[in-house]
Amino acid sequence: MSEQTSKRLRERRAARPQVRPTAEGWIQPMGADGRPQLQFAAKQRRTQPPVHLADLSMAERQERLKEFGHPAFRAKQLSTHYFQHHTASADEMTDLPAASREQLVADTMPPLLAEVRRLRTDNGDTIKFLWKCFDGVLVESVLMRYPGRITLCVSSQAGCGMNCPFCATGQNGLTRNLSTAEIVDQIVQANRAIAAGELGGTRSDGVPERVHNIVFMGMGEPLANYKRIMNAVHRMVDPTPEGLGMSARGITVSTVGLVPAIRKLSDEELPLTFALSLHAPDDELRDDLIPVNSRWKVDEALDAAREYFDKTGRRVSIEYALIKDMNDHGWRADLLADKLNERGRGWVHVNPIPLNPTPGSIWTSSEPEVAAEFVERLRAKGIPTTMRDTRGKEIDGACGQLAAAND
């Protein structure tokens, strides 16, 4: 860093304010204790989506087909079409009897997600999908091409009950959990779009492309829908045709800090990547920034994250959205590094990411020099740190923005 840049930073630090989190354009629901109200379950019971073959194991699919009067062996044929060929169209399933083809599909693959909008970045490497579920609720997923891999950011809930003031998804609270199949169908439909050339590019060896990596960083708090996301993970990693045949190492499950669920995830015996959305190392700020921190504090969340590493051997990711004058102060980088180092070395990696800016809002990204200093201070204390790439700014890339605009 040049002397001139260092001088500018010193001057800026001397005058930098501490901006406090506050919801803009909406009112956070507050509990009787005056704290943001957390919602772990939907406020009212809602009709659940129809059962889809992706909700079931192969044995369960076979039993369901027999209940409908079909031969059990059709389960493998139907699963091959859905998980390998990414189709739910009876017209394409020519190996099934013409007389019963439509009924077989109707009984096992009811429509789950109808595409409402599809937005692309100018360079074509990112696509954002807006889906309408069977009951009219809207959810999103984002497909991203990186060098050597394709990543899909999936939603796990319609809405979110964590009540974070900066989150577009959480403005209307939690509507309902997505089903296992609704989560999986986001991947199958993304694979269909890739196969149709929607993301551009082809492999030189001619092998068909598909989604390589999954990040549970879309709408919702994944660990608040624990059973269904874990069922979905099993559909992802089950070998074809029972599932998608993906690698568990390519699946990232994130959370804002639901400590009991983190510990439960540690015992799953799956080599998943675990990501903790921390965003502040001090309880004073994080209580307001991530309201679940009022229940499980920073140190508790970090202890659970370290336990995940100890049990799985998988390095933990710390996600940290850099927000101008709110959580990007240099002393917070030092505090974060100290807290991580207190729990040992080699167990964690920090991923700062500049927040997608909104003109005129307090919720805007850090200045480039400030972000660079934040990263430098972490690295200076021995913390592996990688500034994450921002994607989709021009297409309302932050999850929940597109759904909110279409309400």
Side-chain angles (χ1 to χ4, degrees), residues 95-113:
D95 59 334
L96 299 177
S100 59
R101 196 180 298 162
E102 293 283 351
Q103 193 60 49
L104 277 163
V105 172
D107 289 341
T108 58
M109 301 184 199
L112 295 176
L113 303 178

Side-chain angles (χ1 to χ4, degrees), residues 48-62 64 79 82-83 107-113 134 176-186 188 225 227-236 238 241-244:
Q48 293 301 301
V51 176
H52 188 282
L53 68 81
D55 289 306
L56 309 172
S57 67
M58 184 66 80
E60 290 169 334
R61 293 169 209 168
Q62 292 170 343
R64 187 166 180 82
S79 299
Y82 183 71
F83 287 108
D107 289 341
T108 58
M109 301 184 199
L112 295 176
L113 303 178
F134 81 104
R176 67 171 174 85
N177 289 322
L178 296 188
S179 70
T180 295
E182 286 174 319
I183 296 169
V184 173
D185 202 44
Q186 295 172 63
V188 172
N225 188 17
K227 181 179 178 180
R228 294 173 185 85
I229 72 129
M230 288 311 303
N231 284 341
V233 166
H234 282 288
R235 291 298 91 77
M236 296 173 201
D238 286 341
E242 183 163 355
L244 288 162

Side-chain angles (χ1 to χ4, degrees), residues 31-43:
D33 59 357
R35 299 290 308 160
Q37 193 170 20
L38 298 173
Q39 187 182 350
F40 291 94
K43 291 181 179 177

